[in-house]
């Protein structure tokens, strides 16, 4: 698999490409499947439809990897927090975690109840082209904790940060509990057919450097080391969004570092390129315009070249109103320009 070879810095015929949130509302086929399922969460629970939606971007865009269709928040959901997705507003939990007792009340071994995710993985791996990789994923403990503490998306993370500075031991207990669940969850995803795994730390950038290293990066590394020990052949990819100025502090046992669009790629290359394969980092909004897209591609390839060490991706997720023709053109463009 070209994608897996690239994760291991092996020679490949071209630079592989996939896109974060490559399954989603910008595809009418996705919107139809979601309608058939009833709601976004029902789509996540329905392995047959989730499997279809996972394969759509591979068929339509010809990307080199599929990412399993699910959401990071199904883990806290199975830990006992009622979840709904309010249309136009995003996720909302019916209960929040604000003290020690609520942390201790969370269900243990919740990852064992995520069989709908494992079923989807098994089904996709059976149907997916043998040359294409299947990526499993989870949210980072910190990013999941922010949703569990705030109850919904947040601009300030006020409750989470208040807990960090006033009850750090409670936050550590929550993060350690999540870390154990996520280890089991990724182990099961690998057993079910995932060829690589990725940890999304979308709200990394909410924390100052020392707090980031202590309350998030440390747990990301713990998950990565666990996977490298259990399944050494499986590439581990970490994506902390918004920490471009902390790159000199990044270390740990993993394979691929996901670079967000706000981090200059030359800076990531200088700090991390010798240790990790870099993945990224086209600003997704460049896909609104063909010229802007090509300019961004050329800039990225100008830094990363054609030698092993790079996987092409967006610097964050696809947006719901991006034109699919441009996403398709991006895949062909990167393949053409990076042919060895
Ligand atoms: O990448 C893929 O194609 C796989 C599927 C995937 C989804 N969510 C599907 C989804 C992945 C990898 C995620 C991860 C995820 N979920 C993250 C981390 C990555 C990132 O984007 O930073 C986060 C923070 C979440 C939580 C989440 N899920 C939010 C905040 C929202 C609402 C925002 C929005 O775009 O509406 C979701 C919903 C969600 N997850 C959608 C999809 C396709 C849109 C739901 C819909 O169909 O209405």
């Amino acid at each position: 698999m070209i994608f897996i070879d690239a994760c291991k810095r092996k020679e490949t015929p071209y630079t592989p490409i996939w896109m974060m949130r490559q399954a989603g509302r910008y595809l009418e086929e996705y919107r139809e499947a979601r309608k058939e399922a009833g709601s976004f969460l029902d789509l996540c629970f329905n392995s047959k439809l989730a499997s279809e939606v996972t394969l759509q971007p591979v068929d339509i865009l010809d990307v080199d990897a599929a990412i399993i269709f699910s959401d990071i928040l199904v883990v806290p959901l199975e830990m006992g927090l009622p979840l709904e997705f309010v249309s136009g507003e995003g996720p909302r939990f019916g209960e929040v975690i604000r003290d020690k007792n609520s942390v201790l009340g969370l269900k243990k071994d919740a990852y064992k109840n995520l069989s709908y995710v494992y079923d989807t993985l098994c089904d996709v791996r059976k149907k997916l082209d043998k040359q294409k990789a299947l990526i499993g994923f989870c949210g980072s403990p910190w990013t999941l904790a922010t949703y569990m503490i705030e109850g919904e998306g947040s601009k300030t993370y006020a409750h989470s940060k208040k807990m960090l500075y006033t009850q750090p031991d409670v936050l550590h207990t929550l993060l350690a509990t999540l870390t154990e669940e996520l280890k089991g969850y990724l182990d099961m995803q690998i057993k079910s057919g995932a060829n690589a795994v990725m940890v999304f730390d979308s709200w990394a950038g909410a924390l100052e450097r020392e707090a980031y290293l202590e309350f998030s990066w440390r747990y990301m590394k713990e998950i990565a080391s666990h996977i490298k020990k259990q399944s050494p052949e499986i590439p581990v990819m970490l994506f902390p969004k918004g920490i471009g100025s902390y790159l000199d502090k990044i270390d740990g046992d993993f394979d691929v570092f996901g670079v967000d669009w706000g981090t200059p790629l030359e800076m990531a290359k200088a700090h991390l390129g010798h240790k990790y394969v870099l993945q990224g980092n086209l600003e997704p909004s460049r896909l609104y315009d063909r010229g802007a897209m090509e300019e961004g591609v050329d800039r990225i390839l100008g830094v990363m070249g054609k030698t092993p060490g790079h996987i092409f991706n967006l610097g964050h997720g696809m947006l719901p109103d991006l034109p699919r023709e441009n996403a398709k053109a991006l895949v062909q463009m990167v393949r053409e320009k990076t042919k060895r």
Side-chain angles (χ1 to χ4, degrees), residues 46 50 82 92 100-101 125 151 155-156 159 178 189 236 258 321 337:
N46 183 327
R92 188 178 297 156
K100 189 128 204 159
N101 277 341
R125 192 53 277 181
K155 285 200 167 71
T156 60
H159 295 290
L178 283 163
Q189 292 192 44
V236 175
D321 63 340
K337 286 178 189 274

Side-chain angles (χ1 to χ4, degrees), residues 101-125:
N101 277 341
S102 53
V103 176
L104 297 177
L106 289 165
K107 278 186 212 150
K108 294 273 154 28
D109 290 339
Y111 71 89
K112 292 182 180 162
N113 296 330
L114 285 150
S115 54
Y116 46 92
V117 177
Y118 312 137
D119 290 346
T120 308
L121 280 154
C122 287
D123 191 57
V124 173
R125 192 53 277 181

Side-chain angles (χ1 to χ4, degrees), residues 21-23 25 30 34 40 67 70-72 147 202 316:
R21 288 275 185 96
Q22 63 191 14
R25 285 161 291 185
Y30 167 83
R34 190 180 66 169
F40 170 69
I67 179 162
S70 183
D71 197 82
I72 60 169
Y147 282 103
S202 304
H316 200 189

Side-chain angles (χ1 to χ4, degrees), residues 18-26 30-31 34 39-41 43-44 53-54 57 66-73 85-91 137-139 143-144 147 153 200-203 239 241 316-318 320:
W18 67 283
M19 293 174 226
M20 287 189 268
R21 288 275 185 96
Q22 63 191 14
R25 285 161 291 185
Y26 75 103
Y30 167 83
R31 296 195 301 267
R34 190 180 66 169
S39 70
F40 170 69
L41 269 180
L43 181 54
C44 294
V53 165
T54 303
I67 179 162
I68 194 69
F69 186 82
S70 183
D71 197 82
I72 60 169
L73 300 179
F85 280 81
V86 187
S87 84
E89 286 180 46
F137 74 87
C138 66
T143 289
L144 293 179
Y147 282 103
F200 288 89
D201 196 7
S202 304
W203 310 134
F239 177 62
K241 184 170 183 302
H316 200 189
M318 275 299 278

Side-chain angles (χ1 to χ4, degrees), residues 19-22 24-28 31 60-61 282-290 292-293 314-328 330:
M19 293 174 226
M20 287 189 268
R21 288 275 185 96
Q22 63 191 14
R25 285 161 291 185
Y26 75 103
L27 295 175
E28 68 185 67
R31 296 195 301 267
I60 297 167
L61 309 178
L282 189 71
E283 151 70 284
S285 304
R286 282 189 181 270
L287 267 69
Y288 285 117
D289 180 83
R290 219 36 104 79
M293 186 173 94
L314 305 179
H316 200 189
M318 275 299 278
L319 302 166
D321 63 340
L322 287 174
R324 64 192 276 160
E325 311 79 59
N326 288 355
K328 227 171 140 167
L330 176 65

